[in-house]
């Protein structure tokens, strides 16, 4: 008896094997990206006090020399809470790390000759928004902001040294009550998206637990 339109058993077997092989290769590639110690570009996301900075520091701990890039505001007596946070970060850094305090992340990325740790993009963006006049709504601030962000993203994409960047995940909370808070949340969320797309590995830290994002 002839079964109409029956597929060839050989073809079915071949197609199934090809699919399984492709799935295996994709899984293997993800595993290699996840556990490779020298990923070129790594983004570590997390909320406040989530443990994201500690995780990022562990990722680069094996490097004998490293430049720690601090783009946030320097400590000040006017803000003792911020000063305490900065002091805690400084106390954890190994003595052989070199610290660079700057908001010019693009130049740091382009001129680096060794591994970098940038902590963090949230504090950097806050300063950039101030520098371009976003908080005061100075004419042309949107264009100046776009230029700064695109310059950083181009440098990140072209980076030729291992670099880990820490950033705040701000999209899971309530909608900020102020327009400046909403602006910061929206711009940082978009920036994280762009950086993630050009990273070899992305991790989300929640309550000290690390989730590797595929």
């Amino acid at each position: 008896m002839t079964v109409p339109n029956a597929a060839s058993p050989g073809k079915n077997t071949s197609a199934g094997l090809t699919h399984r092989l492709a799935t295996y290769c994709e899984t293997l590639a993800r595993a290699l990206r996840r556990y490779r110690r020298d990923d070129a570009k790594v983004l570590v996301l997390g909320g406040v006090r989530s443990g994201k900075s500690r995780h990022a520091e562990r990722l680069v701990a094996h490097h004998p020399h490293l430049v720690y890039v601090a783009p946030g505001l320097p400590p000040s007596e006017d803000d003792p809470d911020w000063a305490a946070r900065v002091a805690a970060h400084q106390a954890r850094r190994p003595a052989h790390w070199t610290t660079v305090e700057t908001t010019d992340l693009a130049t740091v990325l382009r001129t680096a000759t060794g591994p970098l740790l940038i902590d963090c993009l949230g504090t950097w963006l806050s300063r950039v928004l101030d520098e371009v006049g976003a908080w005061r709504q100075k004419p042309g601030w949107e264009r100046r902001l776009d230029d700064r962000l695109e310059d950083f993203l181009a440098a990140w994409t072209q980076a030729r040294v291992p670099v880990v960047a820490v950033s705040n995940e701000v999209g899971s909370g309530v909608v900020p009550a102020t327009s400046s808070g909403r602006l910061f949340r929206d711009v940082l969320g978009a920036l994280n998206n762009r950086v993630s797309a050009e990273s070899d590995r992305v991790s989300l830290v929640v309550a000290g637990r690390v989730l590797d994002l595929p």
Side-chain angles (χ1 to χ4, degrees), residues 75-93:
S76 168
E77 293 181 356
D78 297 332
D79 190 344
D81 178 66
W82 177 249
R85 288 171 183 258
V86 172
H89 278 247
Q90 292 173 337
R92 291 203 307 264
R93 297 174 203 164

Side-chain angles (χ1 to χ4, degrees), residues 37-39 53 56-70 92-100 108 112-119 161-165:
R37 297 187 67 185
D38 285 314
D39 287 306
S53 291
E57 290 162 7
R58 287 194 293 268
L59 289 178
V60 298
H62 63 285
H63 290 295
H65 302 288
L66 179 129
V67 173
Y68 181 99
V69 186
R92 291 203 307 264
R93 297 174 203 164
H96 61 273
W97 285 10
T98 300
T99 299
V100 174
V108 170
T113 58
L116 302 172
L117 170 57
I118 302 172
D119 193 359
V161 297
V163 54
V164 176

Side-chain angles (χ1 to χ4, degrees), residues 39-203:
D39 287 306
K41 292 182 283 287
V42 180
L43 175 63
V44 178
L45 300 167
V48 175
R49 304 293 191 182
S50 62
K52 60 186 182 298
S53 291
R54 288 184 179 274
H55 174 63
E57 290 162 7
R58 287 194 293 268
L59 289 178
V60 298
H62 63 285
H63 290 295
H65 302 288
L66 179 129
V67 173
Y68 181 99
V69 186
L73 287 169
S76 168
E77 293 181 356
D78 297 332
D79 190 344
D81 178 66
W82 177 249
R85 288 171 183 258
V86 172
H89 278 247
Q90 292 173 337
R92 291 203 307 264
R93 297 174 203 164
H96 61 273
W97 285 10
T98 300
T99 299
V100 174
E101 297 180 357
T102 181
T103 59
D104 191 359
L105 298 185
T107 296
V108 170
L109 286 164
R110 290 189 175 104
T111 60
T113 58
L116 302 172
L117 170 57
I118 302 172
D119 193 359
C120 75
L121 296 183
T123 55
W124 172 72
L125 177 62
S126 181
R127 291 189 70 183
V128 169
L129 287 167
D130 184 56
E131 291 174 0
V132 302
W135 305 136
R136 300 176 299 283
Q137 298 290 293
K138 294 180 66 175
W141 71 265
E142 296 99 333
R143 177 183 53 77
R144 291 190 294 273
L145 176 62
D146 284 345
D147 289 345
R148 291 287 296 274
L149 296 181
E150 291 301 329
D151 191 33
F152 162 71
L153 288 165
W156 174 268
T157 302
Q158 298 160 9
R160 293 295 178 264
V161 297
V163 54
V164 176
V166 179
S167 191
N168 302 95
E169 175 50 61
V170 293
S172 301
V174 298
V175 176
T178 63
S179 58
S180 59
R182 292 190 291 273
L183 171 65
F184 176 79
R185 178 203 60 177
D186 292 348
V187 175
L188 184 58
L191 176 64
N192 287 343
N193 256 290
R194 296 281 300 278
V195 174
S196 172
E198 297 297 335
S199 296
D200 300 294
R201 179 177 171 190
V202 181
S203 297

